[in-house]
Amino acid sequence: MGQRSVEKFLFRDEVELYDLKQDPDEVINLACQPEYQELRKELSEKLLKHLKQTDDLWLKQYTLPISCAAETEEQVAEYQPLFNGRDLTGWTLKRANRKGYHVEEGKLVCPSDGGGFLFTEKEYGDFSLKFDFKLTKAANNGIAIRCPLVDQKPAYEGMEIQVLDNKGYPKKLKPTQYHGSVYDMIPAKRGALKPVGEWNHEEIICRGSKITVIVNDIPVLQTDLSDIKDEQVLARHPGLRNQRGHIGLLGHGSHVEYKNIRIKEF
């Protein structure tokens, strides 16, 4: 697969255009970049002509050229916003003694003197959750999934996907505490995070017992919870059996910012 992420290899873009001299591993898709639209149109028209000449069955389902705008609108329409960028409508705060979160310039901010557990009012089962986040040095937060509305132990009563500055965190970390890990359970691969202060993009996919975490187009965790058979582990983490629950931001007294939080249910 060269340098292409697993997600990009398995779930390919509908239209692909690559500069094979500069990008022989086909990592950067140029199909929707404005400066390549004339070339894309030219190649699409050549392909369409060839398909018509050969009476290709592909034309019974698709037409060419495919519009970038239509493709983008369709993709966006599949996801519903969890955060409106203005206020905390649709969210509820637990463990409020940590002063909570606030909205600032379209961002959902966990301040260094705030935090607590900010949960969605709605419950979710199988979904794709996408969001952007920005860390500060030594920042520690988390994403609760399939979690009940609790004031304590959301990583155990539900599950917590770690949000953490791997390099700047001052304490020694266990493998299951690094960013993207299922906290205290399943370690994530490292190396996908951008430097502190830059925006990262993450997707968390839950389908039945399978959980995938993708950070900046790099899969850092792919696991199947049904493989966990140890009864002591299951007793300590009852949330592993949850089929539905709330999504939450788990603040631990450090500054973390979120935006573009959206979800698609399966």
Side-chain angles (χ1 to χ4, degrees), residues 159-164 166 173-191 202 211-215 218-225 227-228 233 236-237 240:
M159 287 171 279
E160 178 180 358
I161 307 299
Q162 276 284 76
V163 174
L164 190 82
N166 287 343
L173 296 170
K174 299 176 183 178
T176 55
Q177 291 178 307
Y178 285 93
H179 183 90
S181 299
V182 179
Y183 179 77
D184 193 42
M185 285 295 306
I186 304 162
K189 297 179 182 178
R190 305 167 207 169
E202 181 160 324
I211 298 178
T212 301
V213 179
I214 302 166
V215 179
I218 298 174
V220 298
L221 183 139
Q222 292 176 293
T223 191
D224 191 334
L225 301 177
D227 292 335
I228 302 173
V233 172
R236 189 170 72 250
H237 286 269
L240 293 175

Side-chain angles (χ1 to χ4, degrees), residues 99-160:
K99 298 184 181 180
Y101 294 66
H102 66 265
V103 178
E104 177 182 315
E105 298 179 345
K107 301 172 293 186
L108 183 51
V109 179
C110 176
S112 57
D113 62 347
F117 306 152
L118 187 67
F119 289 107
T120 58
E121 293 178 353
K122 183 179 175 181
E123 292 188 344
Y124 298 91
D126 289 355
F127 58 84
S128 164
L129 173 70
K130 293 184 177 182
F131 58 93
D132 299 325
F133 67 96
K134 183 165 63 175
L135 299 171
T136 54
K137 186 175 181 180
N140 182 13
N141 205 281
I143 307 296
I145 57 175
R146 295 179 179 168
C147 190
L149 293 176
V150 294
D151 286 302
Q152 296 182 10
K153 297 185 176 181
Y156 299 86
E157 298 302 323
M159 287 171 279
E160 178 180 358

Side-chain angles (χ1 to χ4, degrees), residues 248-260:
L249 306 181
L250 308 178
H252 303 299
S254 52
H255 187 103
V256 179
E257 299 178 3
Y258 295 92
K259 65 179 182 180
N260 300 326

